[in-house]
Amino acid sequence: MKFIRFFLVLVGLFTLGVVRTHGGDQFEPPPPDLPEPEMPMPDDPTNPFTNTFDPNDLPLPDFPDDLPEFPFPPDPPDLPLPLPDYPDDEDPFPDLEPSLFPGELIDDFPPPPVLPPGKSAGPAFAAATNTVVAKMPFPRRILFRPAPAFFFPYPRPTNSPTCDPANQTHLIIPESKRNSVYFLDTCPPALSSRVSVGKKPVNVKVTPDGARALVANSLDGTISVIDLASRTVVRTVSVPLVNNQMMQPNAMAIAPDGSRAYISSHVAVPGSFVFILDLNTFTFSATQLAVGAFPASMAITPDGTQLWVSSRGDSVVDVFDTATNEHIAGYGILLSTGVAINPTGTRAYLASGISPGSITVVDTSTFNVVANIPVGNFPHAVAVTSTGRHVYVTNALSNSISIIDASGNKVIRTINLKGQHPLGLALVANGTFLK
């Protein structure tokens, strides 16, 4: 039995040797100490699931702690196309001064109101009265021009009033490119004369007694004084410098008693100032009223106690006590432009020169806002009729004029113009037309 086992072992060893000699290596398992090949091999594609790329390993450029500020593009002009000055020049201040292109004559006015029962018919255009109100310690000397003879009682006749040259009003219009002003008759409308003044005149105001006219010359910082009887310049006054900088006189307002004029400068340093000119000595007061940038309009209450100044650049309207020159009230009116006071001094009308625009109505005794009236696009000039019944507003970008009923604080009519770009407004005393 042991012999048989030994024989089988020898046969197995011999068979194993034959297999190894005849290429049996493919069946031979690898020795236990041979290391396995690493995966992947150098020539194999990268396995995306084992990619150890870290973007933080790459060098990144250094960024400043605060990113640089990029300046805003310049603001577009307030109005797209400035209209030419009369007759062939451009308007000096397209967003501040009246266009010198004559507009169409408007003769179609709304009918007069119905009189209450028991009230007798009076003049259609009654002159304002100097009534004592709570904020007036005493009536001041306020001049009113007598009503012309052709003011009609109710009902108003259908035909237009006959022109009366003896009682007509003359418009005095600055010609900014000609350095002059011209006088326009209103009955009938015609150019009557021209007067040379300072450089770039932009505004004209007439003293309450009708004897003189003040002309604001923005380019040389002066005020020309015209004697209206002779239509000649009798005096030129320089507006004071501020920090050795020449001022640009623009808006003006004259006290009802004719004692002084308030003149604003169309600058920003960064705000601006209103200067006080004594009309008896023609010297400027050392006191200057600080207002917002680029003042656009001014108005004085009929009793002469309050001065209202709108500053378009800072969107504010400031109110000053004229006796003390103290600031007594202020309003945030977006892009404030025109300002006007009614004949009794009880209401102030403030224009917001945006699109669509509005008129803010303020009680001048309490300084409370009593109404906001929507009007057209870019309202600019505001004027109140001598009766206080209507308020007229020019809408420069709507090419229209809004007529507001002052008692109801609402627009009752819109006069559409034809490309007139209306910026200025004048209510002619004899009522023949509205320019």
Side-chain angles (χ1 to χ4, degrees):
M1 190 66 166
K2 293 182 178 178
F3 175 78
I4 295 173
R5 290 181 178 174
F6 177 75
F7 177 77
L8 292 175
V9 171
L10 291 178
V11 172
L13 291 176
F14 175 80
T15 305
L16 178 62
V18 173
V19 171
R20 289 178 61 89
T21 304
H22 290 80
D25 292 340
Q26 64 269 30
F27 301 104
E28 180 181 5
D33 57 346
L34 183 65
E36 294 183 0
E38 296 181 359
M39 293 298 293
M41 298 299 291
D43 295 335
D44 290 345
T46 302
N47 186 348
F49 300 101
T50 61
N51 192 348
T52 60
F53 170 76
D54 187 352
N56 295 322
D57 294 338
L58 295 179
L60 297 177
D62 292 334
F63 289 98
D65 294 336
D66 296 324
L67 296 179
E69 295 184 0
F70 295 95
F72 288 98
D75 293 334
D78 288 329
L79 297 177
L81 295 175
L83 292 185
D85 214 356
Y86 184 86
D88 56 3
D89 293 323
E90 66 181 23
D91 198 328
F93 292 115
D95 68 331
L96 292 173
E97 295 303 330
S99 170
L100 303 185
F101 245 35
E104 293 182 353
L105 304 186
I106 305 299
D107 190 42
D108 184 17
F109 287 86
V114 178
L115 292 176
K119 185 174 179 59
S120 60
F125 300 92
T129 58
N130 188 11
T131 305
V132 178
V133 296
K135 64 188 183 64
M136 293 176 56
F138 56 90
R140 299 194 179 189
R141 181 169 69 89
I142 303 176
L143 302 178
F144 294 98
R145 180 175 178 175
F150 54 78
F151 279 177
F152 294 96
Y154 293 112
R156 182 179 178 182
T158 56
N159 59 323
S160 299
T162 303
C163 182
D164 182 6
N167 292 310
Q168 70 173 312
T169 295
H170 303 275
L171 295 179
I172 308 174
I173 304 176
E175 298 178 289
S176 61
K177 292 291 185 178
R178 286 183 171 148
N179 298 331
S180 61
V181 296
Y182 75 81
F183 289 77
L184 177 67
D185 295 341
T186 61
C187 182
L191 174 65
S192 58
S193 61
R194 176 175 281 116
V195 178
S196 297
V197 290
K199 295 181 179 180
K200 202 170 185 180
V202 294
N203 203 347
V204 179
K205 284 290 188 267
V206 177
T207 56
D209 59 4
R212 292 168 296 189
L214 305 182
V215 183
N217 306 307
S218 66
L219 196 58
D220 59 10
T222 63
I223 303 296
S224 297
V225 183
I226 299 178
D227 178 75
L228 295 181
S230 61
R231 294 189 178 181
T232 58
V233 175
V234 295
R235 190 185 300 265
T236 300
V237 186
S238 296
V239 178
L241 303 179
V242 175
N243 297 330
N244 294 322
Q245 179 180 349
M246 187 188 73
M247 296 292 98
Q248 300 176 10
N250 181 42
M252 296 189 293
I254 300 179
D257 61 2
S259 62
R260 60 198 177 279
Y262 296 87
I263 302 166
S264 69
S265 178
H266 185 253
V267 294
V269 287
S272 190
F273 300 94
V274 171
F275 302 89
I276 305 173
L277 177 64
D278 189 314
L279 295 183
N280 295 315
T281 63
F282 288 96
T283 58
F284 280 94
S285 169
T287 301
Q288 300 168 2
L289 309 180
V291 295
F294 305 116
S297 181
M298 289 193 292
I300 299 180
T301 53
D303 62 3
T305 60
Q306 297 176 7
L307 172 69
W308 293 63
V309 185
S310 68
S311 300
R312 177 178 172 85
D314 285 333
S315 295
V316 296
V317 175
D318 296 300
V319 187
F320 296 90
D321 185 319
T322 58
T324 63
N325 293 326
E326 293 181 357
H327 185 273
I328 56 177
Y331 301 87
I333 304 296
L334 189 60
L335 297 180
S336 54
T337 50
V339 55
I341 311 292
N342 68 351
T344 58
T346 58
R347 292 288 185 271
Y349 297 90
L350 317 177
S352 176
I354 58 176
S355 298
S358 64
I359 300 296
T360 300
V361 186
V362 179
D363 186 319
T364 59
S365 60
T366 64
F367 299 109
N368 292 330
V369 174
V370 297
N372 282 288
I373 309 171
V375 289
N377 294 337
F378 190 15
H380 194 271
V382 184
V384 186
T385 58
S386 59
T387 62
R389 191 179 73 182
H390 293 135
V391 181
Y392 286 76
V393 183
T394 62
N395 304 306
L397 292 184
S398 294
N399 292 325
S400 65
I401 297 175
S402 298
I403 303 179
I404 297 173
D405 174 22
S407 61
N409 289 323
K410 62 180 180 179
V411 174
I412 58 174
R413 186 181 176 192
T414 299
I415 302 175
N416 293 313
L417 307 176
K418 296 180 180 179
Q420 293 298 306
H421 184 69
L423 290 174
L425 187 64
L427 298 176
V428 180
N430 61 11
T432 54
F433 70 89
L434 172 70
K435 180 180 182 296

